[in-house]
């Protein structure tokens, strides 16, 4: 193949430095690929050019070194080896910064010639700026290594000779490939299928990730590789162009797979060129650059990057679907033919049948009655099968037949609602309907969300996929998969009579995105019309509108407000209105949070939501929605607590303790915790402090309670000690007795520690924490200096510090949330010791903190503080508000400077 890159000289005529010419050659080869890429060359052409160019360089190096060795040593010319390309290089599927995977193959024993060629080849390729993976083996060693390592076997399966002695290369084909193709093929295929499943889970379990991995993600190039590896050992298929001839795929399937793969290859080449690195992740920043260079034109409705990503998702989904179907055929038992085929096929209705474990649709069935565009999905759902690839194409081509009038007809609505009411397969069915354009015709408002990208580094999936994954999570709860980890969710789901309303709420909760402003309010207005079209009654319509309008409410209250406040709970249930709304909102909130991304949901968030739900359901059942019976409820709770005391003396002391606490204390703390607080308080005596720690691994948090004489900076010093020990505080509550005692409770999240293989319940760790708290309160430990030292030791990478700068830091102050306190809310990028920094700032301003709530979202946090002035009054002066805001922002900036070693 002709190549516009710089030409290599003839090996016989070359007597220069190999590294210099190799470096220049690779640079020109990459420049040639870059020029052709932006000019519109295909992905296949680009990868072939870089592969052929790399082949030429490898042969040149081997030939030059062979001739040099022959001139030095008379017997050198008779010694032999072959260079085998394997992996992506062997497949001829290279991008400009791909690894060059080689095996230097030699017969018999390792000679000085083989060692020389290997050393010179590797050193020259490294000097040229290529990343090289290599091995030096005999054919027998290749077979032995492949027997024991499926990764090595897979890489060698793509092997081909590039340079060296042809007779040695023939040994690779005759011995190694023969073994790879014929030994334990079923076991190899099963191993590759397991790898594929595990990889999909690891990479997010969806084609529709906001920042997908072009190579490893679901629907990525690795899916094609897996198909070819398995097809090669089971059916003798070597390249995609052999699929039709082998009888494995139709001509249309093969053509569409080749086209989609070419698109992804072109994208991957662009990522390498733009980053000058082996980059496979299509980040937001790169999406914009690729879209611009590929010539996408944005408009009022969609940015250029969104149009580009729609094409990406379309091609990736196609790869995922076709590869999945072909792999299913490869691993399935032989299908019956002729008479047996006709006997094994069952007609569902005219033009629709089940054959070979798939639903097969005749195009005339859709054209004669377009409602069949919905019925075929209900048929597949009931039979727990999928539509054949050909049938999916037929549905996609004919989806336009489902016009507005037909979509609103009773027949169409009945089928759509039956899919939502089905006992299983709702997510899978809706997902396929969405990808084939049917939902967009049935519910145009949802169709507008198709492949809509959310540039927030918080959500992982596109808007439509996020909404449907939420339904998947609700189905998992309904099927009992979370009964061990989240028993309350499972119980509430079982009490939900009509899950179809819940599924609609999840499906429609983000309808307002893309319209600007409050998407929850806009979406609520949109579902009014949808509810009428779907034939929902008045109560169902109001419930659906409530869920869409308030789908963020429960999450916000649980994570960012003090749910121990009875007034907050009373306001919440007044907003909710009915127990049914509460159940649905609780389940919807879980699903919405869980569907954000694989690592967003945690035991701590499960606990917070569950606490708010139980307090709300209790308030419904006891009629606690009004303040009129507050005194009566406090008295009942007090009596229940006193009943736990042993004897008259203990009861008197416990009653005195309750008298010293805030009025609503018996309502905001469980009876068990009240007793624990009292015992710590009584055990304090003349000690500096007393403490207790409880671990809740099933809920992924620990709770530290510190009791001491109240003093300025108590909360701050404990925060500092916890920060020193890298313990992630997610909530803190401060109680002060009338006699000047303080009971501070800190909840510590286990998530980060568990992810880093640390034990957050280790007894020695908590012994050190107690010792450091004692030293800090006694003035023997400079907490400020220790935290600053920990920050400097951490020293976040430059990329992390730059990422922080892109996250807007804001401080808001609210006097309406709580009756007797001001709420200071801080949004900022996550960084070590932030809670200590903020608490220290508020302390320096002379404020008293009564509680703190900390919520982390990927790389950003929301920290909420309930505060008063030193005299227990609210912060009402606007000038004071501004002083607090500026002081907090300055404290965060100073903290970053300390970490960077600049202060």
């Amino acid at each position: 193949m002709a190549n516009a890159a710089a030409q290599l000289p003839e090996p016989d005529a070359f007597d220069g430095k190999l590294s210099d010419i190799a470096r220049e050659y690779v640079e020109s080869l990459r420049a040639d690929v870059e020029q052709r890429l932006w000019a519109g060359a295909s992905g296949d052409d680009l990868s072939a050019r870089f592969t052929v160019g790399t082949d030429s360089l490898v042969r040149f190096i081997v030939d030059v070194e062979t001739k040099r060795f022959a001139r030095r040593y008379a017997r050198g010319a008779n010694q032999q080896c072959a260079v085998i390309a394997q992996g992506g290089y062997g497949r001829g599927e290279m991008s400009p910064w791909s690894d060059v995977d080689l095996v230097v193959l030699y017969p018999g024993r390792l000679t000085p010639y083989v060692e020389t060629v290997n050393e010179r080849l590797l050193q020259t390729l490294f000097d040229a700026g290529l990343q090289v993976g290599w091995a030096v083996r005999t054919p027998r060693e290749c077979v032995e290594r492949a027997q024991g390592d499926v990764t090595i076997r897979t890489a060698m399966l793509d092997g081909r000779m590039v340079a060296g002695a042809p007779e040695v290369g023939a040994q690779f084909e005759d011995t190694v490939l023969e073994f790879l193709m014929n030994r334990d093929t079923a076991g190899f295929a099963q191993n590759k299928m397991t790898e594929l499943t595990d990889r999909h889970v690891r990479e997010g379990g969806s084609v529709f990730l906001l920042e997908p991995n072009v190579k490893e993600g679901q629907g990525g190039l690795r899916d094609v590789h897996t198909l070819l590896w398995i097809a090669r050992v089971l059916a003798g298929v070597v390249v995609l162009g052999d699929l039709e001839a082998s009888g494995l795929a139709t001509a249309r399937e093969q053509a569409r797979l080749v086209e989609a793969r070419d698109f992804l290859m072109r994208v991957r080449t662009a990522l390498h060129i733009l980053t000058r690195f082996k980059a496979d992740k299509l980040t937001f920043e790169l999406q914009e650059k690729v879209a611009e260079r590929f010539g996408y034109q944005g408009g009022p409705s969609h940015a250029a990057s969104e149009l580009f990503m729609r094409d990406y998702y379309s091609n990736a989904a196609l790869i995922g679907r076709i590869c999945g179907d072909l792999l299913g055929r490869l691993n399935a038992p032989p299908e019956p033919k002729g008479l047996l085929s006709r006997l094994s096929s069952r007609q569902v209705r005219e033009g629709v049948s089940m054959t070979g474990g798939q639903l097969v649709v005749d195009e005339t069935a859709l054209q004669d009655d377009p409602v069949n565009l919905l019925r075929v999905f209900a048929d597949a759902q009931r039979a727990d099968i999928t539509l054949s690839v050909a049938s999916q194409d037929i549905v996609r081509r004919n989806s336009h037949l489902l016009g507005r009038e037909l979509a609103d007809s009773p027949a169409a609505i009945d089928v759509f609602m039956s899919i939502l009411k089905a006992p299983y397969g709702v997510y899978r069915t809706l997902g396929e309907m969405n990808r084939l354009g049917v939902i967009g015709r049935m519910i145009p408002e949802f169709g507008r969300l198709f492949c809509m990208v959310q540039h927030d580094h918080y959500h992982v999936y596109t808007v439509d996929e996020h909404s449907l994954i939420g339904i998947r999570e609700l189905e998992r709860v309904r099927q009992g998969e979370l009964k061990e980890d989240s028993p309350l969710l499972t119980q509430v789901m079982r009490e939900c009579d009509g899950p179809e309303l819940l599924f609609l709420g999840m499906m429609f909760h983000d309808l307002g995105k893309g319209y600007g402003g409050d998407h929850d309010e806009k979406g609520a207005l949109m579902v009014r019309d949808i509810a009428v079209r779907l034939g929902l009654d008045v109560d169902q319509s109001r419930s659906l509108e409530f869920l869409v309008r308030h789908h963020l409410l429960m999450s916000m209250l649980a994570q960012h407000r003090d749910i121990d406040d009875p007034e907050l709970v009373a306001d919440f249930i007044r907003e909710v209105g009915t127990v049914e709304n509460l159940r649905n909102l609780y389940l919807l909130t879980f699903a919405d949070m869980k569907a954000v991304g694989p690592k967003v949901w945690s035991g701590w968030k499960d606990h917070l939501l569950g606490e708010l739900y139980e307090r709300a359901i209790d308030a419904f059942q006891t009629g606690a929605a009004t303040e009129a019976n507050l005194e009566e409820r406090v008295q009942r709770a007090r009596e229940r607590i006193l009943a736990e005391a042993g004897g008259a003396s203990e009861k008197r002391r416990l009653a005195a303790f309750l008298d010293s606490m805030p009025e609503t204390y018996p309502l905001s703390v469980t009876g068990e915790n009240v007793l624990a607080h009292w015992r710590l308080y009584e055990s304090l005596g003349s000690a500096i402090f007393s403490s207790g720690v409880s671990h809740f691994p099933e809920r992924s948090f620990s709770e530290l309670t510190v009791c001491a004489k109240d003093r300025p900076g108590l909360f701050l010093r404990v925060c500092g000690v916890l920060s020193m020990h890298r313990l992630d505080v997610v909530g803190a509550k401060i109680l002060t007795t009338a006699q000047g005692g303080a009971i501070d409770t800190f909840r510590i999240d286990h998530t980060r520690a568990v992810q880093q293989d640390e034990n957050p319940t280790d007894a020695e760790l908590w012994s050190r924490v107690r010792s450091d708290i004692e030293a800090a309160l006694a003035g023997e430990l400079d907490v400020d200096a220790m935290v600053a030292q920990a920050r400097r030791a951490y020293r976040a990478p430059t990329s992390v510090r730059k990422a922080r700068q892109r996250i807007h830091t804001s401080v808001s102050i609210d006097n309406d949330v709580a009756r007797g306190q001001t709420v200071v809310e801080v949004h900022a990028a996550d960084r070590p010791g932030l809670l200590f920094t903020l608490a220290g700032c508020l302390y320096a301003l002379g404020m008293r903190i009564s509680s703190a709530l900390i919520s982390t979202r990927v790389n950003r946090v929301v920290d909420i503080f309930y505060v008063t002035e030193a005299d227990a009054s609210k912060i009402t002066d606007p000038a004071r508000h501004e002083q607090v805001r500026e002081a907090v922002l300055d404290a965060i900036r100073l903290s970053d400077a300390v970490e960077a070693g600049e202060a």
Side-chain angles (χ1 to χ4, degrees):
M1 179 182 294
N3 198 308
Q7 296 298 305
L8 293 164
E10 288 297 322
D12 288 333
F14 181 74
D15 195 29
K17 192 173 181 181
L18 278 173
S19 293
D20 290 344
I21 194 169
R23 187 181 302 109
E24 292 174 6
Y25 179 77
V26 170
E27 288 174 357
S28 70
L29 186 59
R30 285 171 171 162
D32 175 56
V33 169
E34 179 174 6
Q35 181 181 7
R36 292 175 182 276
L37 167 68
W38 304 135
S42 70
D44 269 336
D45 178 57
L46 296 167
S47 62
R49 284 182 179 277
F50 198 80
T51 300
V52 169
T54 305
D55 286 352
S56 298
L57 179 60
V58 170
R59 278 194 293 270
F60 174 74
I61 297 168
V62 172
D63 289 348
V64 167
E65 199 56 36
T66 298
K67 294 181 185 304
R68 287 178 175 177
F69 191 88
R71 287 197 294 268
R72 293 192 198 102
Y73 309 101
R75 294 178 298 171
N78 297 322
Q79 300 190 49
Q80 296 178 321
C81 69
V83 179
I84 307 297
Q86 61 176 356
Y89 179 31
R91 287 191 302 275
E93 194 177 272
M94 294 191 74
S95 293
W97 267 264
S98 293
D99 293 344
V100 180
D101 289 325
L102 302 171
V103 173
V104 177
L105 194 73
Y106 66 95
R109 63 187 182 84
L110 189 63
T111 65
Y113 166 73
V114 176
E115 291 178 330
T116 300
V117 169
N118 176 61
E119 181 180 344
R120 179 57 61 193
L121 177 63
L122 298 181
Q123 188 60 56
T124 304
L125 293 176
F126 277 124
D127 290 345
L130 296 168
Q131 291 298 312
V132 186
W134 80 98
V136 184
R137 299 185 185 122
T138 64
R140 180 175 179 178
E141 288 171 339
C142 286
V143 170
E144 290 173 350
R145 295 296 299 275
Q147 282 180 306
D149 191 322
V150 72
T151 302
I152 293 176
R153 177 176 179 177
T154 304
M156 287 185 185
L157 194 63
D158 292 317
R160 60 182 176 85
M161 179 179 166
V162 175
E167 54 268 39
V168 180
Q171 290 184 41
F172 178 81
E173 294 182 1
D174 296 342
T175 304
V176 181
L177 287 182
E178 179 68 21
F179 167 81
L180 297 175
M181 289 288 294
N182 296 293
R183 181 66 61 91
D184 188 24
T185 55
F188 176 79
Q190 182 57 51
N191 185 283
K192 291 287 113 181
M193 289 299 295
T194 301
E195 272 186 11
L196 177 122
T197 301
D198 292 344
R199 175 170 49 80
H200 284 176
V201 171
R202 187 173 63 251
E203 292 293 331
S206 174
V207 169
F208 300 93
L209 295 176
L210 293 182
E211 295 185 305
N213 188 306
V214 176
K215 182 179 179 182
E216 300 291 343
Q218 189 165 334
L221 293 167
R222 188 64 83 200
D223 283 10
V224 182
H225 304 160
T226 302
L227 169 64
L228 287 176
W229 291 327
I230 295 176
R232 186 164 187 181
V233 300
L234 295 185
V237 174
V238 178
V239 295
L240 290 182
D242 296 340
L243 289 171
E244 182 190 1
S246 71
L248 188 60
T250 66
R252 181 173 176 80
E253 286 172 332
Q254 177 176 293
R256 297 191 71 187
L257 186 57
V258 168
E259 182 182 4
R261 173 190 169 276
D262 188 84
F263 180 89
L264 262 64
M265 283 296 302
R266 192 162 181 261
V267 172
R268 186 175 187 234
T269 300
L271 297 183
H272 281 220
I273 291 295
L274 289 169
T275 61
R276 296 294 191 262
F277 182 70
K278 187 178 69 173
D280 294 319
K281 189 171 184 180
L282 197 47
T283 63
F284 291 140
E285 183 180 1
L286 287 171
Q287 289 169 24
E288 294 175 355
K289 292 180 179 179
V290 174
E292 179 185 356
R293 298 304 299 267
F294 278 10
Y296 284 84
Q297 298 292 324
S301 302
H302 300 287
S305 60
E306 292 180 23
L307 297 174
F308 160 64
M309 287 306 295
R310 286 196 173 186
D311 281 350
Y312 172 83
Y313 292 129
S314 177
N315 283 282
L318 188 72
I319 286 175
R321 185 170 70 249
I322 294 179
C323 286
D325 285 339
L326 300 189
L327 286 168
R329 294 173 200 171
L330 278 164
N331 290 286
E335 292 188 9
K337 297 181 180 179
L339 177 61
L340 286 177
S341 175
R342 291 193 295 273
L343 291 174
S344 66
S345 178
R346 182 168 70 83
Q347 187 175 50
V348 178
R349 63 170 54 83
E350 187 67 31
V352 182
S353 61
M354 286 189 288
T355 303
Q358 292 186 317
L359 198 76
V360 178
V361 181
D362 190 316
E363 193 157 7
T364 57
L366 307 182
Q367 294 170 346
D368 293 343
D369 183 359
V371 176
N372 281 331
L373 282 162
L374 298 168
R375 292 192 184 106
V376 295
F377 290 102
D379 294 336
Q381 183 185 34
R382 279 193 299 273
D384 196 20
I385 59 176
T386 60
L387 275 68
S388 69
V389 172
S391 298
Q392 291 170 11
D393 286 340
I394 290 171
V395 168
R396 189 191 301 275
R397 286 200 305 271
N398 289 276
S399 61
H400 67 279
L401 298 175
L402 193 63
R404 181 72 273 134
E405 184 177 347
L406 191 63
D408 292 343
S409 69
I413 291 168
D414 284 348
V415 179
F416 181 66
M417 295 303 293
S418 74
I419 290 170
L420 293 171
K421 294 176 181 178
Y424 53 82
V426 179
Y427 161 71
R428 190 183 72 181
T429 305
L430 292 178
E432 200 60 49
M433 292 170 70
N434 184 45
R435 287 186 276 279
L436 297 180
V438 175
I439 286 186
R441 295 287 178 177
M442 184 73 196
I443 312 288
E445 297 90 339
F446 188 82
R448 191 180 182 279
L449 302 181
F450 183 69
C451 294
M452 181 181 284
V453 175
Q454 308 179 77
H455 292 271
D456 63 5
H457 289 283
Y458 179 49
H459 287 81
V460 173
Y461 307 104
T462 56
V463 179
D464 56 331
E465 184 72 354
H466 160 73
S467 300
L468 296 177
I469 283 179
I471 293 176
R472 182 190 71 187
E473 295 304 323
L474 290 169
E475 286 196 283
R476 291 182 64 223
V477 177
R478 181 167 63 170
Q479 291 157 10
E481 293 184 29
L482 276 67
K483 62 183 178 183
E484 298 295 331
D485 295 331
S486 300
L488 180 60
L489 275 168
T490 305
Q491 173 191 328
V492 174
M493 189 71 188
R494 287 171 180 165
E495 295 169 356
C496 184
D497 295 328
E500 66 275 8
L501 191 67
L502 180 58
F503 292 156
L504 284 173
M506 187 66 220
M507 188 174 170
F508 298 153
H509 77 289
D510 277 346
L511 283 184
K513 286 196 171 177
Y515 289 94
D518 297 327
H519 76 277
D520 42 3
E521 182 62 31
K522 285 184 169 63
L525 297 176
M526 292 164 71
V527 297
R528 288 181 183 176
D529 182 52
I530 297 173
V532 172
R533 298 195 323 249
L534 293 178
L536 302 185
D537 63 34
V538 173
D539 291 335
Q540 291 172 324
S541 300
R542 288 175 178 169
S543 294
L544 182 60
E545 185 178 338
F546 164 81
L547 289 176
V548 174
R549 175 173 283 112
H550 296 294
H551 71 270
L552 299 173
L553 176 63
M554 198 167 185
S555 171
M556 186 276 291
L557 293 179
Q559 295 185 85
H560 307 316
R561 293 294 179 259
D562 183 3
I563 61 175
D564 289 338
D565 182 357
E567 292 179 26
L568 178 141
V569 176
D571 290 342
F572 173 55
I573 66 171
R574 276 195 291 270
E575 190 73 62
V576 169
T578 68
V579 171
E580 182 184 14
N581 277 351
L582 175 63
R583 289 195 192 108
N584 284 337
L585 184 61
Y586 173 47
L587 294 165
L588 179 68
T589 304
F590 150 76
D592 190 16
M593 295 170 73
K594 189 75 163 63
V596 165
K599 298 179 181 179
V600 172
W601 182 251
S602 66
W604 169 245
K605 291 177 181 176
D606 184 21
H607 167 74
L608 286 177
L609 273 186
E611 269 199 354
L612 178 54
Y613 173 81
E614 291 188 311
R615 288 169 192 255
I617 202 74
D618 180 62
F620 268 120
Q621 293 169 351
T622 59
T626 65
E627 298 179 30
N629 61 354
L630 177 63
E631 185 177 340
E632 179 184 338
R633 289 189 296 118
V634 169
Q635 186 58 36
R636 283 201 304 269
R638 179 186 174 96
E639 289 171 359
R640 284 196 300 270
I641 293 167
L642 290 173
E644 298 294 323
S649 174
E650 190 170 283
K651 183 172 290 189
R652 281 195 303 272
R653 300 199 313 274
L654 179 55
F657 172 75
L658 291 173
D659 289 340
S660 72
M661 301 302 287
E663 179 187 9
T664 59
Y665 174 70
L667 293 177
S668 61
V669 180
T670 65
E672 182 180 354
N673 282 341
V674 169
L675 294 173
H677 290 173
W678 169 57
R679 291 188 177 109
L680 277 178
Y681 185 71
E682 284 212 326
S683 69
L684 181 60
S686 60
I688 293 177
F689 80 106
S690 59
S691 67
V693 63
S694 301
H695 304 297
F696 305 91
E698 72 284 356
R699 292 183 170 181
S700 195
F701 73 89
S702 295
E703 194 166 81
L704 170 70
T705 304
V706 174
C707 181
K709 292 288 190 294
D710 195 18
R711 69 185 76 184
L714 171 64
F715 174 76
L716 176 63
R717 285 175 173 77
V718 178
C719 281
V721 170
L722 295 174
S723 179
M724 284 166 44
H725 288 274
R726 300 178 69 239
L727 294 168
D728 298 329
V729 179
V730 290
K733 187 75 175 176
I734 302 167
L735 294 166
T736 306
T737 72
Q739 287 75 33
I743 301 173
D744 293 358
T745 303
F746 301 83
R747 283 182 171 171
I748 291 91
D749 188 24
H750 291 177
T751 303
R752 181 204 57 79
V754 171
Q755 287 174 350
Q756 298 184 11
D757 293 326
E758 298 172 0
N759 181 7
T761 65
D762 179 56
E764 290 186 9
L765 165 67
W766 287 100
S767 177
R768 294 194 300 271
V769 169
R770 287 190 182 97
S771 296
D772 286 342
I773 291 174
E774 183 172 9
L777 296 181
E780 299 168 359
L781 179 67
D782 188 340
V783 177
D784 293 86
M786 294 298 291
V787 172
Q789 181 180 336
R791 284 180 181 140
R792 292 191 184 99
Y794 167 73
R795 189 60 191 269
T798 302
S799 59
V800 173
R801 294 201 298 275
K802 285 184 177 179
R804 286 182 195 163
Q805 294 171 5
R806 291 195 292 269
I807 296 174
H808 179 63
T809 303
S810 65
V811 181
S812 61
I813 300 173
D814 193 317
N815 274 325
D816 297 326
V817 171
R819 174 173 295 179
Q821 298 153 309
T822 296
V823 173
V824 178
E825 184 168 327
V826 182
H827 292 247
D830 194 14
R831 65 253 289 160
L834 181 61
L835 174 62
F836 176 73
T837 296
L838 299 177
C841 175
L842 297 175
Y843 170 69
L845 289 167
M847 294 182 176
R848 296 173 60 180
I849 302 171
S850 62
S851 65
L853 300 165
I854 293 84
S855 175
T856 303
R857 296 182 175 182
V858 189
N859 59 347
R860 64 192 67 201
V861 296
V862 182
D863 285 6
I864 313 282
F865 297 90
Y866 283 69
V867 303
T868 63
E869 297 283 19
D871 62 359
S873 64
K874 279 190 174 187
I875 308 170
T876 55
D877 183 2
R880 178 68 160 156
H881 284 193
E882 191 58 31
Q883 180 191 18
V884 172
R885 187 177 292 107
E886 288 301 319
V888 170
L889 293 173
D890 287 343
I892 294 173
R893 285 191 285 265
L894 179 60
S895 171
D896 286 345
V898 168
E899 182 186 321
E902 300 168 359

